[in-house]
Amino acid sequence: DLYALAATLYYMLSGETPLKAPLLVSQKLKFPPSIPLRLTKAISKAMSSAKKDRQESVKAFIDDLNSASSTRQDDDEVTEIGSQSSTVSIPIPVASSNTDDNRTEKKRLPSWIWIAGAASIAIVIGIFFWIKSSEQKSVSGGVYTDKKTIETRKPSHKIEMPNSLDSVLKNLISNMVYVDGGSFTMGSDDVDAEPAERPTHAESVDAFYIGKYEVTQKEWMNVMGKNPSNNIGEKLPVDNVSYEDCLDFIRKLNEKTGLIFRLPSEAEWEYAARGGKESKGSRYSGSDTITSVAWYAGNSSDKTHNVGLKKPNELGLCDMTGNVWEITSDHWSNGYDSQVTNKISRRGGAMTSEEVNCRVSIRDDCNKTDRIVNQGLRLAL
């Protein structure tokens, strides 16, 4: 949070967009020459890549700003940021304009003083209301959640869940797999690649959770109360659902659990299917041999099969290749450099797909309202 506050000030003063703190290794900050050195040092310190090199608290940062923004302090004119006074302002620099008659004249304030002052006031007010609001429950993504419900920064990446949930939903949550963020080459330029898979390009994703399995019919029934699937079985992936059906399912699931489930983006899906940072570069998700990881046209008898029967990929994810097409949150485009359409992208191939159409980079599209017998979903969080 301290980094974010400093980054906001940096942006306002320089017009330069800083890197997100988790991606920061080193960056050269570019302040205009008119900005005083002491102010640039205060902000630069708060934007250090290592937490230990930043100020120890927001108060210390504010103190540095106060110190950097003034040449002297007049008790009858100045109220420091963060004081108990009802008026909050930045100390105003003054300069002696006539030493002969000992008169003191206030200079016209430089624009950076006004910018820094306004930003600092906003910071103090924002901190106050953030502290107050964090003590209560908040509304996020249209779902009433408690800030303690999920703690994604624990070393174990454990998701905490309400004790009131039934075993089906607890099992669903426990099967969410943490995927460390990173960068990869998205798409394919292989001889088999279709135009929709091109051009290959660098893509980065933040850390997220994704389901170890495709959503099963038992889980869908638990949330929706009915089963739309063509092939019936509790451990089979739900099928015959549309994009809009999936959004309705996720909305109700979030209401039940208090968590923020969603559909994965295409980049998240492909990154996870490739094995994330553990990727071995396989043609399919987890192997170059499709029969070991997928139910597809060559071995499925045109039917879906229970989730988790095939070998998982490097991240422990099952059936990313085959079984059912998995709907993503992204709109479809005929290529990564093409204009998006109103259709939705889906990934992974299905039990009816030929081997070439189950490659990890393969893309397909569907209409938002179409219920398709070989189409299901996998959750992200």
Side-chain angles (χ1 to χ4, degrees):
D1 290 340
L2 184 61
Y3 179 93
L5 297 181
T8 301
L9 279 176
Y10 172 66
Y11 174 74
M12 295 178 72
L13 292 172
S14 68
E16 298 285 338
T17 303
L19 296 173
K20 291 182 179 180
L23 301 178
L24 179 65
V25 176
S26 65
Q27 62 178 322
K28 186 175 182 181
L29 302 181
K30 302 175 183 177
F31 288 96
S34 60
I35 306 301
L37 180 60
R38 289 166 69 188
L39 182 60
T40 66
K41 285 184 176 180
I43 294 174
S44 297
K45 182 177 181 180
M47 293 177 67
S48 298
S49 58
K51 280 187 176 181
K52 63 181 178 61
D53 295 330
R54 302 172 194 162
Q55 290 88 344
E56 66 273 15
S57 66
V58 173
K59 182 181 183 303
F61 181 41
I62 292 173
D63 289 343
D64 283 353
L65 291 178
N66 277 319
S67 175
S69 301
S70 63
T71 56
R72 71 176 180 84
Q73 297 182 0
D74 294 334
D75 292 339
D76 59 341
E77 294 183 22
V78 176
T79 302
E80 286 194 359
I81 307 169
S83 75
Q84 297 299 319
S85 170
S86 59
T87 303
V88 181
S89 64
I90 286 283
I92 301 173
V94 297
S96 176
S97 61
N98 189 334
T99 56
D100 293 335
D101 58 5
N102 295 320
R103 288 181 300 173
T104 300
E105 177 185 349
K106 293 182 179 179
K107 283 187 175 182
R108 181 177 180 84
L109 294 181
S111 60
W112 69 263
I113 289 289
W114 292 109
I115 294 172
S120 299
I121 292 169
I123 288 169
V124 174
I125 295 172
I127 291 169
F128 172 79
F129 283 105
W130 175 79
I131 291 172
K132 297 298 289 182
S133 63
S134 67
E135 294 171 354
Q136 304 171 3
K137 291 184 177 180
S138 61
V139 176
S140 176
V143 180
Y144 197 55
T145 64
D146 188 294
K147 68 186 181 73
K148 294 181 180 179
T149 301
I150 176 169
E151 299 180 16
T152 61
R153 298 189 183 278
K154 287 188 174 181
S156 63
H157 308 302
K158 180 182 178 181
I159 305 174
E160 295 184 0
M161 64 189 84
N163 292 327
S164 59
L165 296 182
D166 59 40
S167 60
V168 174
L169 294 183
K170 285 183 177 180
N171 187 64
L172 183 152
I173 294 171
S174 67
N175 282 326
M176 297 300 293
V177 176
Y178 180 84
V179 181
D180 200 7
S183 301
F184 71 108
T185 300
M186 188 171 182
S188 174
D189 55 9
D190 293 342
V191 64
D192 295 324
E194 298 180 356
E197 302 170 54
R198 297 182 169 133
T200 58
H201 59 285
E203 194 69 63
S204 296
V205 298
D206 293 330
F208 64 103
Y209 288 88
I210 194 167
K212 181 177 182 178
Y213 308 113
E214 295 159 327
V215 172
T216 65
Q217 294 176 29
K218 184 175 184 178
E219 292 162 346
W220 186 279
M221 277 282 293
N222 180 279
V223 174
M224 304 297 286
K226 56 184 178 181
N227 187 357
S229 301
N230 183 57
N231 297 303
I232 303 299
E234 284 191 345
K235 294 183 180 181
L236 295 176
V238 66
D239 65 64
N240 199 36
V241 293
S242 69
Y243 166 78
E244 292 188 351
D245 291 336
C246 293
L247 294 188
D248 193 29
F249 167 79
I250 290 171
R251 178 181 61 81
K252 292 180 179 179
L253 175 63
N254 289 346
E255 289 174 352
K256 280 194 167 192
T257 63
L259 301 178
I260 310 297
F261 287 98
R262 58 180 174 82
L263 292 170
S265 68
E266 277 202 86
E268 288 172 333
W269 190 97
E270 186 169 326
Y271 178 70
R274 289 181 180 275
K277 289 184 175 180
E278 310 300 321
S279 177
K280 296 178 182 177
S282 300
R283 181 177 174 86
Y284 310 104
S285 183
S287 178
D288 288 325
T289 305
I290 190 171
T291 53
S292 67
V293 293
W295 297 108
Y296 73 112
N299 65 359
S300 71
S301 301
D302 288 342
K303 296 179 180 179
T304 55
H305 292 257
N306 289 351
V307 300
L309 296 181
K310 290 292 185 177
K311 173 187 171 184
N313 75 352
E314 296 91 329
L315 295 175
L317 307 177
C318 298
D319 303 303
M320 293 291 281
T321 298
N323 225 7
V324 291
W325 284 101
E326 298 175 12
I327 299 172
T328 72
S329 62
D330 287 340
H331 283 76
W332 169 260
S333 62
N334 291 316
Y336 289 117
D337 56 357
S338 302
Q339 186 173 358
V340 297
T341 69
N342 198 41
K343 292 185 175 183
I344 297 297
S345 295
R346 59 182 193 165
R347 304 297 298 260
M351 75 286 191
T352 54
S353 300
E354 297 298 328
E355 184 173 346
V356 69
N357 292 326
C358 290
R359 291 171 296 108
V360 75
S361 58
I362 197 71
R363 304 174 66 222
D364 196 21
D365 65 294
C366 63
N367 292 317
K368 292 182 179 180
T369 57
D370 285 352
R371 294 188 173 105
I372 306 173
V373 295
N374 63 359
Q375 179 171 280
L377 75 154
R378 186 183 301 261
L379 292 169
L381 179 68

